[in-house]
Amino acid sequence: MYAIKHQARGLVSHGVSTCQGCALELAVRVILDVLGERTIIVIPPGCAALFSGFGNETALRIPGVQGNLENSAAIAAGIRAGLEVQGKDDITVLALAGDGGTVDIGLQSLSGAMERGDRILYICYDNEAYMNTGIQGSGSTPYGARTTTTPAGKPTFRKNVLEIAVAHRIPYVASASIAYLEDFRRKIARARDAGGTAYIHLHSPCPTGWGYDPSQTIRVAELAVQTLCWPLYEVVEGKTRITVKVNKPRPVAEYLQTQSRFRSMTPEEIDQVQRTVEAEYQRLLERAEA
Amino acid sequence: MVRKLLDGNGAAAEAMRLARVQVIAAYPITPQSPIAEKLSQFVADGTLKAKYLRVESEHSAMSCLIGAQLTGVRTGTATSSVGLALMHEVLGVASGLRLPIVMPVVNRSLVSPWSLWCDHQDTMAERDSGWIQLYAADAQEVLDLTLLAYRVAEDPRVLTPIMVCMDGFFVSHTSQPVEVPDQEAVDRFLPPYRPQNLYLDVDDPMFVNDLTPPADFTEMRYQQKVGFEAALEVLPEVMDEFARHFGRRYDLVETYRCEDAEAVLVTLGSMSGTGKYVVDQLRAQGQKVGLLRVVSFRPFPADRVRAALSRVPVVGVMDRSAGLGAEVGPVCTEVRAALSAEGRQVPVVGFVGGLGGRDLAPKTLAAAFSRLLEIRAGAPAPRTSQWIDVRADALQLREVPAGVRH
Ligand SMILES: Cc1ncc(C[n+]2csc(CCOP(=O)(O)OP(=O)(O)O)c2C)c(N)n1
Ligand code: SF4
Ligand SMILES: [Mg+2]
């Protein structure tokens, strides 16, 4: 037997207990690689808490605190305030929360922080359900998706928290995808330097909850972008720019077919998704050109 | 030292300014709102160098303090009633992380039904939240207990957050001349905050509050229990020191004419002043009665209560919260437990009164004393709580006859 001892090169250790093919794991490594070690992280319960650690072990080489499900933004705002009164202004305060902790139970405290303009970087990794508690539906679960609390497929469309963030007039809002890492890295850096509240919403495929082979994570993420299900854009000081243009969109069915959670959708329902994403992309284009 | 005309809210805000809190996050609620307003005014006019976070809820207020305090600064907020209830989840985070936050709480009843007025159900509902609870009886005490609370909470033996409780309106809105110490004097008593044990520092990274296995959880709670036990020693120590610095003396409990008393009533908060007045009146009539006021409800100074009541033949406790489902209210439950530990068969009568803003007037407390004296004279002692000021028509109130919907 060999004793394998290996220091992780980045700020995140090896052997974190996420599932195979988890987009979140790649995301955490990329985020901390861009932000560096002068970062304080806030993580609520959810799959990201696998990085908080267990007992006297943690997966992270930066300071951090695991908060509650609904208060990531508020804890981060408090950390920023504490640093500010001590004149420590070279530190990034990062909140990394799931869709449940962001768009549902955490929306109030996030809204409070955005309205006050607290200088925090809030990244929502969106795996489109409450995964850590067993794949229950969230406000970000897409139309038609089966979860353990939407067993017949979700009857309503997801809420668009990116636009809710934009409505708060914060300096930086962006969507991101794990399939477009350069785009994601650039957005993290911009968000860090935004000078106020910055919000990034990352599409974060989850093989366990979505029902696809773990080897397909990047392809699934890419298809979401290429079918217009997940447009990549940023809104800087209110100005919208599409960062990854999709000139020849593929039909949404190609994306939906990759995952068993959409299996019970009827052709009419798929058609409705098609029309919805097209209309929304059109509106985005118009806003970007205006 | 200056004398200022302050109410309890004003005294709380003044104490937080003197303690030089650096991050404030507060959300308004009657009757606490003046504290939130005064603190923001202090920050605006520069008399307090702090960052004021105008949060959107009490849950966020406490969450902000947790984040800020972890970076190594003293923080401040205040709340009341449903605001405290909304904080419940994060109160346990603050105490479990051993963050020595000091928070004035203006006591107000909990809904339902809605009431803006005083009782103790809000803080009693948090008595197991891992926070120390001190109950002030007037505005001067609010200022003094708040100042000394920082010293106790931040003591490395204690590292436990503290609620300084004051009765809504009775204390929060009643003005009196308050002796406000100079900043220099307070600075000599209360050194700048130094974070201990758990903190967030990029130059000395640690991850705080991760998932903890059953193999460790008990030990983490045990550390808190030891902190509470230490608080029973540290509180009197700091109170002595406070007396040396400022001349006013406090204790875990306060006894009033208990020495030869035939009956003693145990009180909490502002009812104590009325209680002493009633004791004086009854004494003047030849009735040997006394009063024991609990200042520190958490930790509960059971030894001190036992000692104070060791020769008293009949004890009553006035609870200002209902203690629904228990034989008696929460304070009485503690007093009974403390006295039974001695094996004494002394009757301890639980009274409930003063709910939802009802005044605990002299006649109410006098009625409680006369019940105790009847028991002293041989009347049977009731086991369950005696609602001393309940109206005779209680069960008809808001009664709706069946079958009259239109
Ligand atoms: C107040 C509260 N309610 C419920 C929970 C249980 N809970 C823990 S994680 C979680 C799901 C979180 O979902 P999400 O934020 O999307 O993260 P994911 O697990 O999908 O990574 C829930 C509901 C909790 N921790 N706190
Ligand atoms: S459930 Fe999904 S998000 Fe959670 S660790 Fe597994 S793959 Fe990642
Ligand atoms: Mg999720």
Side-chain angles (χ1 to χ4, degrees):
Chain A
M1 290 288 282
Y2 294 105
I4 300 176
K5 284 191 180 161
H6 187 18
Q7 277 283 326
R9 263 178 292 134
L11 296 170
V12 186
S13 75
H14 296 301
V16 180
S17 55
T18 51
C19 313
Q20 273 186 58
C22 175
L24 167 64
E25 200 211 332
L26 178 56
V28 173
R29 293 181 193 283
V30 169
I31 293 164
L32 294 187
D33 189 47
V34 176
L35 295 180
E37 58 188 14
R38 296 192 78 74
T39 303
I40 298 177
I41 191 169
V42 181
I43 300 177
C47 286
L50 297 169
F51 295 83
S52 309
F54 186 53
N56 61 1
E57 292 185 338
T58 176
L60 302 175
R61 280 220 285 247
I62 56 169
V65 54
Q66 187 169 319
N68 302 74
L69 197 50
E70 61 279 63
N71 63 5
S72 305
I75 293 182
I79 292 171
R80 169 58 70 202
L83 295 174
E84 197 180 306
V85 295
Q86 296 174 84
K88 298 179 179 173
D89 55 8
D90 64 336
I91 296 167
T92 302
V93 181
L94 168 70
L96 179 69
D99 48 302
T102 302
V103 315
D104 290 339
I105 200 168
L107 189 57
Q108 174 179 317
S109 80
L110 173 60
S111 173
M114 292 194 294
E115 187 268 331
R116 288 189 304 272
D118 298 323
R119 191 155 62 89
I120 61 172
L121 166 50
Y122 193 108
I123 301 182
C124 169
Y125 67 95
D126 193 348
N127 51 26
E128 303 185 336
Y130 303 151
M131 291 310 176
N132 205 53
T133 38
I135 324 177
Q136 295 87 12
S138 81
S140 205
T141 299
Y143 176 71
R146 233 176 359 194
T147 68
T148 54
T149 54
T150 57
K154 193 177 166 216
T156 54
F157 279 79
R158 70 192 313 161
K159 47 179 129 166
N160 188 337
V161 173
L162 278 157
E163 294 309 310
I164 292 176
V166 170
H168 284 75
R169 304 180 180 86
I170 57 175
Y172 191 80
V173 177
S175 61
S177 166
I178 204 70
Y180 294 83
L181 279 186
E182 280 318 306
D183 181 71
F184 184 30
R185 294 179 79 97
R186 198 186 52 77
K187 286 171 174 169
I188 298 165
R190 260 202 109 147
R192 175 195 57 204
D193 302 332
T197 320
Y199 180 77
I200 297 180
H201 199 118
L202 173 74
H203 194 236
S204 184
C206 161
T208 309
W210 296 9
Y212 65 84
D213 188 89
S215 65
Q216 298 302 299
T217 292
I218 302 300
R219 199 177 80 86
V220 167
E222 187 179 13
L223 268 175
V225 174
Q226 292 301 326
T227 56
L228 307 181
C229 288
W230 192 253
L232 293 178
Y233 67 104
E234 64 188 2
V235 184
V236 186
E237 304 290 354
K239 267 201 82 63
T240 304
R241 192 173 73 86
I242 295 180
T243 59
V244 174
K245 291 233 165 57
V246 181
N247 295 326
K248 289 208 188 84
R250 314 260 280 271
V252 293
E254 272 188 41
Y255 170 63
L256 301 177
Q257 272 158 15
T258 57
Q259 303 152 59
S260 66
R261 62 178 173 154
F262 295 117
R263 200 166 285 157
S264 54
M265 287 178 77
T266 62
E268 293 74 40
E269 286 169 340
I270 294 173
D271 205 43
Q272 199 184 343
V273 174
Q274 185 68 53
R275 279 180 279 121
T276 304
V277 301
E278 281 172 9
E280 286 186 354
Y281 195 67
Q282 190 54 39
R283 274 204 296 278
L284 198 60
L285 277 176
E286 285 161 13
R287 204 173 77 196
E289 280 154 14
Chain B
M1 199 271 288
V2 291
R3 290 187 127 218
K4 284 189 189 173
L5 195 65
L6 292 175
D7 58 13
N9 282 334
E14 206 59 67
M16 289 158 94
R17 170 159 65 179
L18 288 167
R20 300 181 185 274
V21 293
Q22 284 175 279
V23 172
I24 297 158
Y27 191 83
I29 179 169
T30 302
Q32 158 273 21
S33 304
I35 303 181
E37 294 166 1
K38 281 188 169 68
L39 290 171
S40 72
Q41 188 59 44
F42 292 163
V43 174
D45 64 24
T47 57
L48 174 60
K49 278 203 190 61
K51 168 101 180 166
Y52 189 97
L53 290 164
R54 186 185 35 75
V55 285
E56 84 301 329
S57 74
E58 290 87 352
H59 195 284
S60 284
M62 185 49 62
S63 302
C64 284
L65 297 202
I66 289 166
Q69 190 100 16
L70 276 172
T71 70
V73 298
R74 204 173 272 150
T75 63
T77 189
T79 191
S80 178
S81 183
V82 288
L84 186 66
L86 187 57
M87 275 184 191
H88 172 74
E89 181 191 23
V90 271
L91 291 177
V93 179
S95 58
L97 293 180
R98 313 301 296 272
L99 295 173
I101 296 168
V102 173
M103 171 167 69
V105 178
V106 185
N107 283 106
R108 167 182 156 185
S109 56
L110 283 179
V111 64
S112 171
W114 278 108
S115 160
L116 300 167
W117 300 283
C118 174
D119 70 38
H120 294 160
Q121 198 189 338
D122 52 357
T123 48
M124 285 299 151
E126 301 302 339
R127 64 191 187 274
D128 287 346
S129 61
W131 285 58
I132 291 170
Q133 291 189 343
L134 308 177
Y135 287 79
D138 62 30
Q140 182 72 60
E141 288 195 11
V142 170
L143 184 132
D144 294 347
L145 291 178
T146 305
L147 278 181
L148 67 85
Y150 289 99
R151 277 287 304 277
V152 177
E154 294 170 11
D155 189 291
R157 294 166 287 175
V158 178
L159 285 185
T160 298
I162 301 185
M163 296 180 195
V164 179
C165 310
M166 69 177 108
D167 287 344
F169 296 107
F170 296 119
V171 175
S172 68
H173 284 65
T174 302
S175 294
Q176 68 180 75
V178 173
E179 298 197 354
V180 181
D182 299 335
Q183 185 67 62
E184 298 72 46
V186 173
D187 289 347
R188 280 194 296 276
F189 173 72
L190 179 64
Y193 179 62
R194 232 171 23 85
Q196 295 172 70
N197 205 39
L198 298 179
Y199 46 78
L200 296 174
D201 179 358
V202 290
D203 296 313
D204 182 14
M206 69 169 87
F207 200 97
V208 175
N209 203 34
D210 65 344
L211 190 66
T212 294
D216 289 350
F217 189 92
T218 304
E219 287 64 30
M220 302 286 281
R221 272 289 170 281
Y222 188 78
Q223 292 179 1
Q224 287 179 265
K225 169 200 153 64
V226 171
F228 269 95
E229 283 167 0
L232 279 176
E233 311 288 320
V234 175
L235 271 162
E237 253 177 62
V238 174
M239 285 166 163
D240 279 353
E241 209 188 313
F242 186 88
R244 284 199 297 280
H245 278 257
F246 303 107
R248 289 180 297 279
R249 186 163 287 284
Y250 293 93
D251 202 347
L252 299 169
V253 296
E254 180 194 356
T255 51
Y256 189 71
R257 306 187 80 168
C258 286
E259 310 74 40
D260 59 341
E262 300 280 308
V264 165
L265 188 66
V266 180
T267 61
L268 202 62
S270 68
M271 70 173 94
S272 312
T274 317
K276 289 179 196 170
Y277 169 78
V278 172
V279 166
D280 288 344
Q281 280 194 328
L282 293 175
R283 286 259 175 192
Q285 294 164 20
Q287 312 275 24
K288 288 185 177 170
V289 293
L291 180 140
L292 173 72
R293 171 191 163 211
V294 176
V295 176
S296 169
F297 182 67
R298 283 288 181 269
F300 189 76
D303 280 339
R304 297 293 308 280
V305 169
R306 256 194 301 279
L309 300 176
S310 65
R311 285 203 298 273
V312 179
V314 181
V315 174
V317 181
M318 184 60 73
D319 263 288
R320 205 164 200 155
S321 65
L324 294 176
E327 221 171 24
V328 286
V331 185
C332 188
T333 302
E334 296 291 347
V335 174
R336 274 191 183 172
L339 294 187
S340 72
E342 239 189 357
R344 275 183 71 206
Q345 290 301 314
V346 52
V348 181
V349 182
F351 297 104
V352 168
L355 303 188
R358 186 160 295 178
D359 189 15
L360 280 174
K363 67 172 186 332
T364 311
L365 298 183
F369 275 116
S370 60
R371 292 287 295 276
L372 297 179
L373 291 169
E374 282 163 29
I375 292 164
R376 174 65 181 145
R383 280 299 299 174
T384 58
S385 58
Q386 305 297 297
W387 287 48
I388 191 82
D389 57 2
V390 71
R391 279 199 337 242
D393 64 348
L395 295 183
Q396 281 75 53
L397 202 65
R398 306 277 199 286
E399 187 185 35
V400 179
V404 292
R405 286 181 77 209
H406 298 293

